Amino acid sequence: MKSRNSIALRAALVAGCALAPLAAHAQEATRIDPIDVDSEQASAQIANSPITGSRIDRKTLDRKQATTSDTGAVLSSLPGVSAATGGGFSSMPSIRGLSEQRLTVLVDGFAIDAACPNDMNPPLSYTDPQSISSIAVLTGVAPVSSGGDNIGGVISVESTPPQFATSGETLITGNASTYYRSNGDGFGGAVKLTVAGSNLSATYTGSYSQSDQYDGGDNDGIVRSTEYAKTDHALALAWQHATGLLQVKGGIQYAPYEGFPNQYMDMVDNKSWFLNASYAGYYDWGDIDLKAAYRDTDHEMNFLEDKLPGSMPMNTEVHSFDASAKVTVLASPHDTVRLGAEYHHQWLDDYWPPVAGNMMMGPNTFVNVNGATRDRIAGYGEWERHWSDRLSSIVGVRFDSVTMDTGDVQPYGTGMMQMADVQAAAAFNAADRHRSDGNWSGSALLVYDLSGNAALELGYAHKVRSPNIYERYSWGRGSMASRMIGWYGDGNGYVGNLDLKPERADTFSVALALGGEAQGWNLRVAPYYTRVNDYIDAAPTGVVFTDMMGQPTGFVQLQFANQDAEFYGVDLSGAVQITKGSGNDGTHLTASLSWLEANNLSDGGPVYRQMPLDVKAGVAHRSGALELSADVEWVAEKSRVDATRGEPVTDAYALANIGAAYTVSGVRVSFDVTNLFDKGYALPLGGMSLGDYKATGVLRTVPGRGRSFNVGLSTKF
């Protein structure tokens, strides 16, 4: 029979990477020892991911933070993960074809609600690659304990766990970093400072990022509406005792502007503050985990310089509250039971002040969403069983009750040019807007060790997601009103649908892992299939948008509608150790391939915004203080496009990047060149470059970033 430590290792393998950060806290908090997040033990914890899971650690983020301020872009380096273009720090991740709003995205264990009709502030926009500790991604079947109200994978971003000093001493430690990027003249920096005793710890984290518009590769020129700036500050307090860890964290983010190249609007102000609290207790019989959080966001959209002249202020306010409790019981040496309850409250107000002197945008305030609420109450149970030294399983079921409602709305006015919105508002206000969904979900995972260097994972999940506030309650039928709704970057307009049903997805996932550290190589093969009933897509309303001369623009009005869809593909990844030196020295070759096909079974066409075949390969060498790297990415032609949205075809392309770093006296200096050959290409998930269109009258897809020379500097103290 295996030891208790071995059983715990297999529990981490099956439970999912979304639970790994909590497991890391549990192992460290039960001792009054200082936590070394760079230790070999911490690295081992990171490695305890399921076969369909990946984890980006702090050392990897150190290598990437000088090249991007977008956490979503960092995730796109993983097999099965892509990023749809947004602002400079607000791209929207997609896992195996399912977009960010269909995923569980957690920041320090908490969900963050969207607060914008264009999804300009998705959850990952409140993170910075400079200051986070790690990112765990589960692309396959996720256990029900990892979250509900989703039909896809899990993304969990974690800050550095609290650090404590040895008994009787005071610990003062931290790190600082800065960077510069030539393309876009981007710069920024971050600092973290911890002061701690043996039981109390306080950590301040702050970061700043700024960039002008970037240039596309080759002859693509400037890509307008790509500038941004933001700053983040957070203070975390922690107290640990023999059997538990209490944490309280608060912070603010201020983003004075962020351009969006594929939207009609830009973000001209975003203020958000939060307060989180959690308690994790560890006992002989099991663990208890309690969490609560509050977040307040004030968001404003209008036009930055590329989309001037004109003005169209749009304001959104969101308040959200989270509370959860989870109990993990060690029922026997072979069985673990998890029971949990969750409550999530979202309140959203979306209103567009009138514009003086504009007959279409006045004289009243346009009330887009009037105090909408979305309340979710959930409960779940999960059973983990180790049947033998080689076979284990985890099975769970959960129920999510989602209740939504909203108040009356109003158009800008009652003039003839506003008649479409006048009629739509009257119909909306006369309708019953209260909705209640009862959603059952379940998951089952089976892991079998075929041998010492081979493991097989089989998974099935039935997951359900209710529509979000904008999918159900956006009501405007006028050309301008509907074009202000939508996070797709396609230039079309969107109308909500009170009759939407929840999405219901059935996922089958298989993964085979071969090799390991002892063999000096590894290979992971993971095919999957997902069928979604009542997938929330879009159907034409019959309205075609025209220009000032009455000519069609190529953009249309669509309404959210339930359809059926399927997603299937395979993710491959592997690594080979070419040379091995002392410690971490050596040379490694890595490669990955992701192939996906997604079909709308209702209209017979492809699903919108799906990544074509994506192949990556890289080599990394380390010798003492010197680090060298080179990688290449090849993306196939995107020819399977959604005709309903007028999605553009994009050509195949290949990008090459090189990097070098040297650490001396605790200071790491890095130099990277991204898009080494200044390749011009269109982003497959970029959508239409509306910022360029407004400035030049020429419509094109959003170009990718051209060559950039990036310098980074970081140190620990």
Side-chain angles (χ1 to χ4, degrees), residues 162-285:
Q163 297 171 272
F164 298 92
T166 56
S167 182
E169 298 181 0
T170 299
L171 172 68
I172 300 177
T173 186
N175 56 62
S177 63
T178 187
Y179 68 85
Y180 173 78
R181 304 174 193 133
S182 67
N183 193 341
D185 198 26
F187 64 91
V191 63
K192 185 186 76 172
L193 176 63
T194 294
V195 179
S198 57
N199 296 99
L200 293 174
S201 177
T203 299
Y204 163 78
T205 305
S207 65
Y208 179 79
S209 299
Q210 178 179 322
S211 179
D212 292 332
Q213 299 154 334
Y214 71 76
D215 291 315
D218 196 20
N219 297 317
D220 284 338
I222 190 171
V223 182
R224 293 169 179 83
S225 300
T226 55
E227 66 270 47
Y228 63 86
K230 75 159 181 170
T231 183
D232 295 90
H233 302 276
L235 178 63
L237 305 176
W239 173 66
Q240 73 168 356
H241 58 92
T243 60
L245 177 67
L246 174 66
Q247 299 183 78
V248 178
K249 184 176 182 179
I252 59 172
Q253 183 200 76
Y254 173 53
Y257 61 89
E258 184 181 16
F260 281 76
N262 56 8
Q263 295 286 357
Y264 292 105
M265 308 299 297
D266 298 307
M267 188 170 77
V268 298
D269 194 87
N270 194 85
K271 300 183 181 73
S272 186
W273 66 269
F274 70 91
L275 182 64
N276 299 339
S278 65
Y279 176 76
Y282 314 103
Y283 308 97
D284 292 338
W285 53 265

Side-chain angles (χ1 to χ4, degrees), residues 314-608:
M314 299 172 62
N315 301 334
T316 308
E317 299 176 8
V318 170
H319 313 306
S320 58
F321 175 75
D322 261 315
S324 66
K326 181 173 72 173
V327 176
T328 302
V329 179
L330 303 176
S332 78
H334 305 283
D335 300 278
T336 300
V337 176
R338 299 180 186 91
L339 302 173
E342 301 169 356
Y343 172 69
H344 183 84
H345 168 75
Q346 178 187 8
W347 176 92
L348 186 149
D349 213 27
D350 191 337
Y351 57 96
W352 310 346
V355 178
N358 191 305
M359 295 181 63
M360 290 187 65
M361 293 182 284
N364 303 319
T365 295
F366 188 102
V367 179
N368 189 43
V369 178
N370 182 9
T373 57
R374 190 178 191 274
D375 295 313
R376 180 170 60 88
I377 300 175
Y380 63 84
E382 201 168 72
W383 172 45
E384 181 181 334
R385 169 75 176 178
H386 295 266
W387 302 93
S388 69
D389 291 350
R390 302 173 65 179
L391 180 65
S392 57
S393 64
I394 181 168
V395 179
V397 64
R398 70 178 290 141
F399 179 77
D400 292 81
S401 173
V402 179
T403 304
M404 301 173 62
D405 205 352
T406 190
D408 289 348
V409 299
Q410 73 174 21
Y412 279 116
T414 57
M416 288 302 298
M417 292 186 295
Q418 301 156 333
M419 194 51 58
D421 289 332
V422 170
Q423 294 173 350
F428 185 87
N429 291 338
D432 178 10
R433 300 178 295 274
H434 180 271
R435 295 292 183 272
S436 182
D437 302 323
N439 302 332
W440 285 97
S441 299
S443 65
L445 279 165
L446 185 72
V447 176
Y448 182 64
D449 292 337
L450 301 171
S451 66
N453 60 354
L456 179 68
E457 179 185 283
L458 304 175
Y460 166 75
H462 175 78
K463 298 291 185 72
V464 185
R465 178 190 80 99
S466 287
N468 63 37
I469 286 175
Y470 287 107
E471 288 168 335
R472 265 191 171 148
Y473 292 142
S474 299
W475 57 272
R477 292 273 181 167
S479 168
M480 182 181 61
S482 63
R483 282 185 288 133
M484 298 301 103
I485 307 298
W487 39 94
Y488 305 102
D490 55 7
N492 298 307
Y494 288 84
V495 181
N497 187 341
L498 288 171
D499 296 324
L500 285 177
K501 301 175 184 177
E503 297 177 323
R504 295 171 290 117
D506 292 280
T507 296
F508 300 88
S509 177
V510 180
L512 176 66
L514 303 173
E517 184 176 354
Q519 288 75 30
W521 64 273
N522 65 75
L523 176 65
R524 186 167 62 178
V525 183
Y528 57 88
Y529 177 86
T530 296
R531 165 67 185 254
V532 186
N533 293 315
D534 293 321
Y535 181 78
I536 298 175
D537 209 305
T541 65
V543 176
V544 176
F545 298 141
T546 58
D547 59 21
M548 297 295 292
M549 304 299 294
Q551 298 300 311
T553 61
F555 302 126
V556 298
Q557 187 181 87
L558 304 166
Q559 184 175 28
F560 294 113
N562 288 121
Q563 299 174 345
D564 294 334
E566 64 177 1
F567 303 78
Y568 56 90
V570 62
D571 298 325
L572 288 83
S573 60
V576 176
Q577 182 175 287
I578 301 174
T579 64
K580 173 63 176 174
S582 61
N584 294 321
D585 288 358
T587 305
H588 295 82
L589 176 67
T590 59
S592 67
L593 178 150
S594 294
W595 174 78
L596 162 69
E597 187 158 313
N599 301 306
N600 185 317
L601 301 177
S602 297
D603 66 17
V607 173
Y608 180 69

